[in-house]
Amino acid sequence: MLRTVSSHIFRSARVVGSHRVAIPRVVGPRIFARAVQLTSETYPNLQRTAFAKLTEEDIAHFKTILADSAVIQDTDMLLSYNEDQMRKYRGQSRLVLKPKTTAQVAQIVAHCNARALALVPQGGNTGLVGGSVPVFDEIVLSLASLNNIRAFDEVSGILTCDAGVVLENADNYLAERGYIFPLDLGAKGSCHVGGTVATNAGGLRLLRYGSLHGTVLGLEVVLPDGTVYNSLHALRKDNTGYDIKQLFIGSEGTLGVITGVSILCPARPKAKNIAFLGVPSYEAVLQTFAHARGELSEILSAFEFMDRRSQVLCGEFLKTDAHPLEDEHPFYVLIETSGSNKEHDDEKLEAFLESAMEEGLVDDGVLAQDETQLRNLWEWREGISEASQIYGGVYKYDVSLPLPELYGLVDAVNERLAEHGLIGETDEFPVKEAVGYGHVGDGNLHLNVAVRRYTKEVEKCLEPFVYEWIAEKKGSISAEHGLGFQKKNYIGYSKSELEILLMKQIKGQYDPKGIMNPYKYI
Ligand code: FAD
Ligand code: 2HG
Ligand code: ZN
C-alpha cells in the first residue's frame, strides 16, 4: 500500500505498486506503419553542402580500420540510424561505422577530414532536436561499441569510461560500489554517457548534483582533424589556463567526437522518499517549491511538476487509468528526497507535507513505501516524454523561463492552436493536445504538442511564435536538449550577435572544413 502521511492530511491514496507497468527503457527497432519523411523533403530549400561523396575506395579504407561487421551498409540496418527518436527527421546516410577504440575513431575522422566527408557522431540516438541523425548522406559514426568502464576510484568517486557506455549501465556499475551517476533521465536505458555530455543533458537530478559543466572533470575527444585531445587526468582543481573541455560539453558533435569521460560521482543516498502531490494551481506549484526548498533543504533531490493533461496522456501510454491520485487535480508535483538517514528524512518530509496541506498548497498526495512504488510514481513523470508521441508525432519545446512566467507559455500555445482551428479531439485536427511539465527546480518547462501528423501549418503556427514568446520573457529556447537541427535557425532568440560570432569563430578554428555534424547548431 502507498502510505498516506496521515488520514487527515491526504484524502486519498491508491495502490499503484500491484499493477506496475514498465516504460520501455531501450529505444529498440521501431515498427511503425508510416515512414518518416526525409528531412530534405520536409525542408526542400535546404541545400547539400559540397562535401565529397562516399566512394568504394573510402569503404575499402574503413575496412582496413574496422572489422567488416562494424562497417554497416545494409539498407534495413541503416534505417534506425537515419531516423530520430521523434520520427520527425530522416537522413539518407549510406554508411554507419562502429569503432571500438579511440584510435579507430581518430583514424576514421582523419580520413573524413582529408577527404571532406561529412560525419554525424551518434550515441544512443535519443536526442530530441534532430541533432543525432544525418540530414543528407553524412556518415554516421556510432559510439555504441566503444563501451568499456576504464577506471573507478572508490575514494574520490571519479569514474572514467568510454563515451558509448549506456547511462543506466554506468549507474548500475556505480550502485554496486555505493555511488550514483550525477545525471538521471528517462532515456537512461539507451542514451550514452558521451551523448549526454555532448548535449549537456540536464535531467532529473540537476537540482541536487548540478550540471555536467561542474561534474565532468575531464574528456577525451577526437578533434575534426583526427588529433586526440586528452584531459582525462580527473583533477577536481586545475586552474592552469582555459578550461578547454568545457567547449565540448554541449557542443552536440560539432567540434569533435567525445570518446572518453571522467566524471565526479556522489555517494549513493541510503534513504529515498517520493511524494506525489495534487495541487490546485500553478501558483501553488511555485509556492510548494519555495516551501520545499526551505523545509527540506539539503535532502531535496528533485522537484518536478506535471499538468493534468500530461497525466491523461501518460495514463494512455502506460495503458492504465489507475493514476496515483484518485481525484483529478489541475497540477501535480513529484518531490524526491535523498539522504543518509531514513528516519530523519521521513520526519522532515512529513512535517513539510503537513504544513503544505495546512497552508492549502497541496490538496492530496501519496508517498511511496518501497522501491517498486517509488519507480511507479516516477513513471508518471518520466513517461510523459514518450507518451506525447503516441498519436503520431510531437513538437517539443524545452525552455528556460522565469518561474512566474513558466506555465504561461502552455496556455498561450493552447489558445493560439485553438484560434487557428488546429487542435481538437477528432482526426480532422492535426493537434491532439499541448501539455506542460518539467523541472521546476531548474526553471525548465517542457511544452509538448502531441500531433496526429506533422504538418507545415502546425509548425508555422508554433514557430517562431514560441521562440518570440520566450525571448520576450528573457528565457532560453533550449534549457537542456540543445539546438540540433530543430533550433539552429532560432539561436538568435537566446544569444546575441556577438555570441553567435564567437561561436562561429570557434567552429571555424576547430573544424575549418565543417565536416562535423553539418546543418545543425549554428
Ligand atoms: P544522441 O541522441 O545520439 O546524440 C545527441 C547529440 O550529441 C547529437 O548532436 C550527436 O551528434 C551528439 N553526440 C552523441 N554522442 C556523441 C559523442 N560521443 N561525441 C560527440 N557528439 C556526440 N535530456 C535532458 O537533458 N534531460 C532529460 O531529462 C531528458 N530526458 C529524456 C527522456 C527521454 C525518454 C528521451 C528520449 C530523451 C531525453 N532527453 C533528455 C534528451 C537527451 O538529449 C538525450 O537523452 C541524451 O542526452 C542524448 O544522449 P544520446 O547518447 O542518445 O545522444
Ligand atoms: C524530460 O524531462 C526530458 O522528461 C524529455 O527532458 C522532455 O520529451 C520531452 O520533451
Ligand atoms: Zn527534461
Side-chain angles (χ1 to χ4, degrees):
M1 287 280 290
L2 279 165
R3 179 164 55 101
T4 54
V5 166
S6 71
S7 52
H8 73 277
I9 288 181
F10 286 156
R11 283 182 288 127
S12 67
R14 296 192 80 169
V15 181
V16 290
S18 56
H19 60 255
R20 179 170 184 270
V21 268
I23 297 177
R25 286 277 178 233
V26 177
V27 182
R30 300 160 198 155
I31 305 152
F32 288 95
R34 213 178 326 136
V36 180
Q37 191 169 3
L38 290 175
T39 308
S40 59
E41 285 173 1
T42 313
Y43 301 95
N45 294 334
L46 203 65
Q47 295 294 313
R48 183 185 181 280
T49 305
F51 295 115
K53 293 232 165 148
L54 193 66
T55 62
E56 283 309 316
E57 288 73 39
D58 294 316
I59 306 275
H61 181 74
F62 292 132
K63 286 188 175 170
T64 66
I65 303 169
L66 303 175
D68 284 6
S69 59
V71 180
I72 298 170
Q73 293 176 277
D74 176 81
T75 320
D76 289 341
M77 287 174 78
L78 289 175
L79 199 63
S80 65
Y81 296 92
N82 269 312
E83 287 181 5
D84 81 312
Q85 166 77 21
M86 295 173 292
R87 298 181 49 75
K88 196 172 170 195
Y89 303 104
R90 178 150 72 101
Q92 302 159 62
S93 181
R94 293 189 293 118
L95 182 67
V96 174
L97 301 174
K98 296 183 82 173
K100 279 178 174 230
T101 65
T102 301
Q104 289 176 341
V105 175
Q107 283 175 272
I108 291 166
V109 175
H111 178 79
C112 289
N113 191 48
R115 285 266 300 118
L117 288 164
L119 276 176
V120 179
Q122 190 176 90
N125 196 10
T126 66
L128 297 174
V129 287
S132 50
V133 290
V135 174
F136 292 101
D137 57 350
E138 302 88 274
I139 296 168
V140 175
L141 182 62
S142 165
L143 279 299
S145 301
L146 192 71
N147 57 8
N148 288 313
I149 302 281
R150 297 191 192 177
F152 180 63
D153 182 332
E154 303 220 10
V155 178
S156 64
I158 295 170
L159 173 77
T160 303
C161 69
D162 287 347
V165 172
V166 170
L167 179 59
E168 194 165 48
N169 294 345
D171 192 51
N172 288 341
Y173 172 91
L174 290 164
E176 286 169 15
R177 289 151 182 86
Y179 282 84
I180 189 170
F181 202 91
L183 169 80
D184 183 30
L185 42 83
K188 57 173 120 359
S190 302
C191 68
H192 294 180
V193 170
T196 62
V197 173
T199 49
N200 185 26
L204 306 159
R205 289 180 191 151
L206 189 134
L207 179 70
R208 176 66 168 269
Y209 301 121
S211 118
L212 291 172
H213 280 294
T215 49
V216 170
L217 299 180
L219 288 180
E220 181 186 80
V221 182
V222 174
L223 302 177
D225 66 356
T227 310
V228 182
Y229 154 84
N230 187 329
S231 70
L232 288 177
H233 42 66
L235 304 171
R236 284 207 70 181
K237 289 180 154 184
D238 177 14
N239 269 354
T240 47
Y242 301 123
D243 191 356
I244 300 293
K245 69 170 184 296
Q246 297 296 350
L247 268 183
F248 300 100
I249 303 174
S251 63
E252 299 181 45
T254 60
L255 294 181
V257 183
I258 298 171
T259 48
V261 175
S262 67
I263 185 160
L264 183 64
C265 303
R268 205 168 192 89
K270 294 191 177 69
K272 234 179 205 186
N273 282 315
I274 298 286
F276 196 100
L277 312 173
V279 294
S281 63
Y282 177 65
E283 186 51 36
V285 171
L286 297 189
Q287 287 176 19
T288 309
F289 175 53
H291 195 52
R293 273 229 291 226
E295 297 298 310
L296 300 171
S297 56
E298 83 288 352
I299 61 166
L300 181 64
S301 53
F303 192 104
E304 299 286 317
F305 95 107
M306 298 79 85
D307 68 8
R308 172 75 205 146
R309 282 185 290 245
S310 73
Q311 294 300 278
V312 174
L313 212 56
C314 203
E316 286 173 31
F317 170 64
L318 296 173
K319 296 195 173 41
T320 174
D321 56 6
H323 191 264
L325 299 183
E326 208 160 349
D327 295 335
E328 290 190 5
H329 302 271
F331 290 92
Y332 298 87
V333 159
L334 187 152
I335 294 178
E336 184 191 76
T337 66
S338 309
S340 57
N341 182 327
K342 178 91 173 114
E343 234 170 77
H344 163 269
D345 294 1
D346 284 357
E347 235 171 70
K348 255 186 146 165
L349 183 59
E350 290 187 16
F352 157 73
L353 291 171
E354 276 194 40
S355 58
M357 292 290 286
E358 269 162 28
E359 287 177 31
L361 302 178
V362 170
D363 285 337
D364 194 7
V366 289
L367 288 171
Q369 289 216 84
D370 56 37
E371 186 64 28
T372 307
Q373 292 185 349
L374 198 131
R375 279 204 302 272
N376 188 289
L377 291 178
W378 261 119
E379 280 172 354
W380 287 90
R381 163 60 185 87
E382 286 187 292
I384 307 169
S385 176
E386 286 181 68
S388 309
Q389 224 169 304
I390 54 176
Y391 295 104
V394 61
Y395 289 89
K396 286 183 187 281
Y397 301 96
D398 147 53
V399 313
S400 278
L401 280 165
L403 276 177
E405 320 273 11
L406 196 87
Y407 196 74
L409 178 61
V410 184
D411 290 335
V413 162
N414 268 303
E415 274 164 33
R416 186 172 163 86
L417 288 167
E419 274 164 23
H420 285 71
L422 292 170
I423 186 164
E425 277 310 310
T426 54
D427 274 359
E428 73 193 92
F429 298 98
V431 181
K432 171 74 170 66
E433 200 75 274
V435 308
Y437 62 104
H439 317 285
V440 178
D442 314 330
N444 179 184
L445 170 77
H446 292 307
L447 162 66
N448 278 0
V449 181
V451 294
R452 299 183 170 92
R453 51 200 169 269
Y454 291 115
T455 74
K456 279 281 163 207
E457 219 186 346
V458 173
E459 188 170 311
K460 280 192 184 141
C461 179
L462 294 169
E463 298 170 20
F465 172 80
V466 170
Y467 302 127
E468 283 167 358
W469 201 96
I470 296 162
E472 198 190 308
K473 309 278 189 265
K474 309 244 177 305
S476 166
I477 64 162
S478 174
E480 56 178 7
H481 298 164
L483 294 164
F485 181 80
Q486 183 191 335
K487 297 179 190 168
K488 69 172 170 140
N489 292 330
Y490 301 107
I491 184 172
Y493 286 99
S494 292
K495 289 282 185 280
S496 69
E497 274 180 31
L498 177 62
E499 284 170 309
I500 296 169
L501 175 70
L502 292 172
M503 286 189 213
K504 286 187 173 162
Q505 285 173 351
I506 291 169
K507 170 74 176 170
Q509 172 74 28
Y510 279 82
D511 183 19
K513 293 190 183 172
I515 60 162
M516 296 296 306
N517 216 358
Y519 320 108
K520 323 264 174 68
Y521 210 70
I522 38 172

